[in-house]
Amino acid sequence: MLMYRETEDHLALSRLFKNSGLDVKVTAEIPDGVLKMWRCIDDETGELLGGSVLQQKDGRYILKDLAVKDGYRREGIGKALMKKALEEAESLGAEEIWGCAKVPEYYTAKGWSIVPDEDAPVISDCQQCEQYLSVCFPRIIRKQL
Ligand SMILES: CC(C)(COP(=O)(O)OP(=O)(O)OC[C@H]1O[C@@H](n2cnc3c(N)ncnc32)[C@H](O)[C@@H]1OP(=O)(O)O)[C@@H](O)C(=O)NCCC(=O)NCCS
């Protein structure tokens, strides 16, 4: 059975994010502004299958990272982990949530909008990377809650 729980284990989550192709530093140290992190595990094997991270930065709520382990995708795990972060942001009074998406079409299918580059606030380390908009083209996204 799948279990969705809050976690403080950033090391395990960051390894999963990195292995899923996200630009994150693998570290046990919880990044600044992180409010909560969730993981999905298989309760029989203890295997970590996915994770999500909610961050607050400059007054904005941000879905900082979301990934599901290869081999377990398209089974609804990503959707459930995103829901955790959206519900938490909403419960904290957020009216909108932001993200930096490598697969924007995944998010737009779930009601997020793509913010034009010229209107995009700096919400992610991704935007300060030298590859941003030269060889790597993530989009800044936003969802009304
Ligand atoms: C993106 C990701 C988190 C989605 O997680 P997931 O568990 O596979 O997604 P879900 O099963 O909840 O997906 C549900 C829906 O999204 C669609 N979907 C999944 N991955 C998609 C993708 N890469 N592009 C477009 N749509 C996608 C599915 O078809 C499904 O549609 P449906 O609800 O109409 O049936 C996962 O594919 C992943 O970890 N990718 C690598 C890391 C990454 O790119 N993370 C996002 C960085 S911004």
Side-chain angles (χ1 to χ4, degrees), residues 123-138:
I123 58 152
S124 165
D125 293 344
C126 227
Q127 291 160 281
Q128 274 137 9
C129 170
E130 59 185 28
Q131 295 190 343
Y132 181 64
L133 301 185
S134 59
V135 287
C136 187
F137 297 89

Side-chain angles (χ1 to χ4, degrees), residues 17 20-22 66-69 72-80 100-103 105-107 109-110:
F17 294 147
S20 302
L22 302 188
L66 171 70
V68 174
K69 190 172 177 178
Y72 296 89
R73 293 182 184 156
R74 302 200 174 225
E75 294 176 17
I77 297 175
K79 195 174 177 176
C100 181
K102 286 200 151 179
V103 280
E105 56 281 11
Y106 173 72
Y107 294 89
K110 291 178 169 44

Side-chain angles (χ1 to χ4, degrees), residues 44-98:
E44 279 170 23
T45 61
E47 190 180 6
L48 177 63
L49 305 181
S52 59
V53 176
L54 178 68
Q55 184 185 43
Q56 193 177 29
K57 197 173 177 180
D58 300 331
R60 291 186 184 88
Y61 291 86
I62 300 165
L63 176 58
K64 183 181 178 300
D65 303 299
L66 171 70
V68 174
K69 190 172 177 178
D70 202 10
Y72 296 89
R73 293 182 184 156
R74 302 200 174 225
E75 294 176 17
I77 297 175
K79 195 174 177 176
L81 286 164
M82 181 194 290
K83 190 161 173 257
K84 291 277 181 200
L86 299 192
E87 285 177 353
E88 178 67 17
E90 213 169 350
S91 78
L92 293 170
E95 292 179 356
E96 60 183 12
I97 185 161
W98 296 75

Side-chain angles (χ1 to χ4, degrees), residues 11-36:
L11 183 59
L13 280 193
S14 59
R15 278 199 189 113
L16 171 78
F17 294 147
K18 188 87 183 172
N19 290 338
S20 302
L22 302 188
D23 299 313
V24 299
K25 189 172 159 198
V26 175
T27 171
E29 199 179 319
I30 298 175
D32 285 350
V34 167
L35 300 174
K36 276 190 186 178

